[in-house]
Amino acid sequence: FATGPRQDNGVFYEIRTYEVKPSRMKEFVELVRQHFHIRQAHSELVGLWTAELGAMNKVVHIWKYDNFAHRTAVRTALANDKDWQGKFISPALACIEKQHNEVAYLVPWCQLGKPPKEGGVYEWVTFQMKPGGPALWGEAFRAAISTHINTGYTKLIGVFHTEYGLLNTVHVVWWNENADNRAAGRHKAHEDARVVAAVRESVRFLESQQNMLLVPLPCSPLK
């Protein structure tokens, strides 16, 4: 669940979360619209969203790196990019209350997915699992995710397991056509005996869970 493929593939994902000052959110989004292409020229952006429900004034973005040396080279280049520093970083810092980052890997049984069409919403679910790692809870967790996939009401985008940040954290990203479809699908899933049984088994290893409904910004590759 957590190791194995990493020995042959160094690809990881940096999840960056910004808490933006409420009075500066509109300004921050406009800075992203105007200047984020400068940042995207340095490395691959997977997705960029603002929180609509479950959190407020929060921006989440995911960056893909080939390995840690790649990330170091990108960060060095960004520090020396005068356009990026002057046009985005300087004004953006005045908008941001807090920054948080995590390094995570896609779990081996999940490939990064894409939505079937543009215009939907994303559900970002963070599971804090009990200490012990995937050796303890990995199979039960996978079974719970699989039963939700099999219901067909939602599209799995990715399952990310943290390497740096709060350990035993798993972020699951889903796509839905809209929030009402998600609500209807969840209601049906909760009446599915297979889902109920799988979740009941997985929840034995769960410490806490948090959900956010995210809306992609125009420059996000995942829309």
Side-chain angles (χ1 to χ4, degrees):
F1 185 92
T3 57
R6 298 186 195 175
Q7 298 172 9
D8 303 315
N9 185 359
V11 171
F12 67 85
Y13 298 84
E14 183 177 6
I15 301 169
R16 299 179 70 90
T17 304
Y18 296 166
E19 295 183 23
V20 181
K21 296 175 182 177
S23 62
R24 309 294 288 270
M25 189 65 180
K26 183 177 180 180
E27 178 184 349
F28 183 82
V29 170
E30 181 61 19
L31 285 170
V32 170
R33 186 190 70 80
Q34 291 184 9
H35 305 302
F36 224 61
H37 65 278
I38 303 172
R39 173 62 184 85
Q40 289 174 266
H42 287 272
S43 64
E44 181 179 348
L45 175 66
V46 174
L48 173 64
W49 304 268
T50 58
E52 182 72 16
L53 297 172
M56 297 183 70
N57 303 301
K58 186 169 286 191
V59 176
V60 180
H61 40 129
I62 304 176
W63 299 91
K64 181 180 179 181
Y65 293 102
D66 296 334
N67 48 48
F68 288 97
H70 179 209
R71 181 185 183 275
T72 298
V74 169
R75 301 303 298 176
T76 300
L78 288 169
N80 293 317
D81 188 325
K82 293 182 179 179
D83 275 350
W84 176 243
Q85 294 296 325
K87 293 178 179 179
F88 183 84
I89 292 297
S90 292
L93 286 177
C95 301
I96 297 172
E97 291 270 20
K98 294 180 182 179
Q99 293 176 295
H100 176 69
N101 77 330
E102 298 167 283
V103 166
Y105 293 89
L106 278 174
V107 298
W109 47 267
C110 172
Q111 294 183 346
L112 193 63
K114 292 184 178 180
K117 61 181 180 179
E118 294 185 2
V121 295
Y122 291 78
E123 183 181 8
W124 184 287
V125 191
T126 299
F127 298 91
Q128 186 60 43
M129 307 303 289
K130 290 184 177 179
L136 176 67
W137 42 257
E139 291 305 318
F141 189 87
R142 179 179 182 177
I145 296 298
S146 296
T147 56
H148 281 90
I149 295 172
N150 292 338
T151 61
Y153 78 90
T154 187
K155 166 71 174 176
L156 180 65
I157 300 299
V159 181
F160 301 89
H161 178 225
T162 57
E163 181 79 3
Y164 289 98
L166 189 59
L167 295 182
N168 298 297
T169 300
V170 184
H171 301 290
V172 182
V173 185
W174 303 93
W175 178 91
N176 293 279
E177 189 169 351
N178 55 57
D180 286 318
N181 280 6
R182 182 263 181 195
R186 290 282 290 180
H187 180 72
K188 291 179 65 176
H190 290 162
E191 297 178 341
D192 188 316
R194 296 167 299 176
V195 174
V196 172
V199 170
R200 184 178 291 126
E201 175 65 19
S202 179
V203 79
R204 297 191 300 114
F205 306 104
L206 181 66
E207 294 280 6
S208 65
Q209 178 179 339
Q210 182 177 7
N211 288 29
M212 294 188 294
L213 188 73
L214 303 179
V215 178
L217 290 177
C219 66
S220 175
L222 287 175
K223 290 185 172 63

